[in-house]
Amino acid sequence: MPWLGTGLLTSSGKKWFQRRKMLTPAFHFNILEAFLPSMNEHAKILVNKIREQIHKSNEKSTVIDVAPYITYCTLDIICDTAMGVKLGSQYNPAIDYVQSIHRIGNKVIKRVLSPWLWNSFIYYNLTPTGREDRRDLNIVHNFTMNVIKNRKNEAIQQNGKKPFSTTETKVDNFVSTSRRRLAFLDLLIEQHLKDSNSLSLYDIREEVDTFMFEGHDTTSMSLIWSLLLLGHHPEIQERVHHELDHIWEQHNLDESMHLTTNQLCEMKLLEACIKESLRLYPSVPFIGRVANTDVEYENYTIPKGSTLFIFIQMIHRDPKLYPKPDSFIPDRFMEGSNSYVKNPFAYVPFSAGPRNCIGQKFALQEEKIILAFILRHFRLESITQFDNIIMHPELVLRPKDPVNIRFIPRH
Ligand code: HEM
């Protein structure tokens, strides 16, 4: 794929194995904990942005298309945490980058389904869509290359030209001794500065493009669906408000304080809402695999080399696995409740096995923080009806039209 090259998501074999091994420590529990201040900070900015809109409207509440607000917040978080770069798109929207990503994602599926567009020369030079795609790819690649070069320059300034010491890369040292963050991009730059032949700037760009996309577009879609669902289910929303108010009061939380891992663990119902929303609207609705051996399935033999698609959303809506499959019932994910669903293979929003999502804990932590701040401060009423939502045929499950929600301050 010209956009992501062969980064972690799209590579295979030895290259995938080595990169996955190199990048797994960047998502270790301790590192996620070190991301808490940044995630809290960006979530608070989001709440302020929504308040600003209410203020501007001169009303007590206002209706907002949530997609851009959420997208810029998650984009700032992935840049800050994984790349160590303060993008500030909640203040100055990175419109070109975000719009280019949407257009590229939209065209990927169309091109896959149109064999006459598979030839790159014809596509990029002779079709208007391909030429627009090339312009968008340039915007996205320039953006990510700038992020990398800035961070590389910073790394050189901080370390002189000498390579990073190997102890610095250890996860335990990340939090305790290193004031500088040795997160995702730093691990790659460290490797690049040690041996630029084994990892070139182009190789780094593949990974940065992959993580910038996977790390913000998936979580923003999941947040948007969660907000919309909660705004359509006032009785469940009220239970979440109650859960959050209790945590805020119990821990004496005020505006300046950050949510901690322990407090996030107490948000059981909020977590169940996120999981149920990912069941109904998995950000990655399907995944593909190539059979590396003949597979016997029921009365069929699927020959080696076949491409298989796994439709996550269809598994999640199977009435045999989930009674009332189309209903939003977060209690399915509350242990001890009557609706609790135990089967682990019935729920795969992050896929499963060795190629599962490397960022799933990051995603849940980020989503909980953002939703906790929004729901602590606002009551939501969804204006957009599910029946009116048309989906883009894309890599992520993206609604085509605005998702309008009324925000009513609670305090
Ligand atoms: C709600 C949010 C998310 C969902 C639903 C999600 C879902 C998935 C799924 C289904 C896969 C498997 C894709 C496939 O096999 O084709 C995947 C892989 C991946 N995800 Fe996520 N993801 C989310 C958030 C994130 C975040 C926050 C990051 C990074 C910070 C991330 C990084 C990746 C990467 C790099 C892979 C490829 C892993 C590999 O092949 O080794 N994802 N994700």
Side-chain angles (χ1 to χ4, degrees), residues 15 40 59 70 256 278 290 309 324 364 389:
K15 177 170 178 179
N40 272 276
E59 303 280 341
I70 298 289
S256 64
L278 273 170
V290 176
F309 287 103
K324 295 200 203 151
L364 274 182
I389 293 182

Side-chain angles (χ1 to χ4, degrees), residues 320 332 398:
K320 291 199 285 295
R332 300 184 211 266
R398 189 192 307 285

Side-chain angles (χ1 to χ4, degrees), residues 7-11 16 20 23 27 78 82 207 210-223 274 278 281-289 312 348-352 354-364 366-367:
L8 195 62
L9 181 68
T10 38
S11 58
W16 168 78
R20 177 96 189 197
L23 293 172
F27 293 89
I78 192 71
E207 297 302 350
T210 299
F211 278 77
M212 291 277 277
F213 158 63
E214 268 285 339
H216 94 278
D217 225 7
T218 47
T219 46
S220 67
M221 289 311 120
S222 164
L223 283 161
I274 297 170
L278 273 170
Y281 296 97
S283 313
V284 180
F286 66 92
I287 55 179
R289 293 288 183 270
I312 295 177
V348 281
F350 297 104
S351 180
R355 291 298 297 246
N356 69 355
C357 174
I358 199 172
Q360 55 186 290
K361 291 206 170 71
F362 179 107
L364 274 182
E366 175 185 9
E367 288 192 36

Side-chain angles (χ1 to χ4, degrees), residues 272-317:
C273 290
I274 297 170
K275 287 183 172 163
E276 175 68 343
S277 154
L278 273 170
R279 180 187 71 80
L280 287 167
Y281 296 97
S283 313
V284 180
F286 66 92
I287 55 179
R289 293 288 183 270
V290 176
N292 58 6
T293 158
D294 286 355
V295 181
E296 299 299 327
Y297 180 71
E298 298 193 340
N299 291 333
Y300 300 96
T301 301
I302 300 165
K304 180 179 171 178
S306 311
T307 301
L308 307 169
F309 287 103
I310 300 155
F311 288 89
I312 295 177
Q313 198 174 21
M314 285 170 82
I315 299 175
H316 286 182
R317 299 241 187 171

Side-chain angles (χ1 to χ4, degrees), residues 313-337:
Q313 198 174 21
M314 285 170 82
I315 299 175
H316 286 182
R317 299 241 187 171
D318 184 341
K320 291 199 285 295
L321 301 168
Y322 295 100
K324 295 200 203 151
D326 297 332
S327 302
F328 180 61
I329 308 177
D331 286 292
R332 300 184 211 266
F333 295 97
M334 295 286 276
E335 251 177 271
S337 94

Side-chain angles (χ1 to χ4, degrees), residues 19 22-23 26 79 82-85 144-165 168-169 180-205 207-208:
R19 295 271 174 96
M22 181 188 354
L23 293 172
C79 276
M83 317 297 162
V85 171
T144 41
M145 200 43 118
N146 272 342
V147 169
I148 298 165
K149 286 185 176 157
N150 287 344
R151 195 69 188 151
K152 182 182 167 187
N153 289 341
E154 264 180 46
I156 291 172
Q157 274 167 19
Q158 282 172 7
N159 288 272
K161 280 210 168 151
K162 71 179 164 41
F164 294 71
S165 88
E168 271 182 312
T169 60
R180 192 173 56 80
R181 282 186 179 158
L182 260 174
F184 166 78
L185 182 54
D186 292 323
L187 279 172
L188 293 166
I189 288 176
E190 178 203 51
Q191 186 59 35
H192 166 75
L193 290 177
K194 271 187 197 158
D195 176 9
S196 59
N197 290 328
S198 77
L199 200 73
S200 66
L201 281 183
Y202 174 80
D203 293 328
I204 298 182
R205 198 190 72 193
E207 297 302 350
V208 171

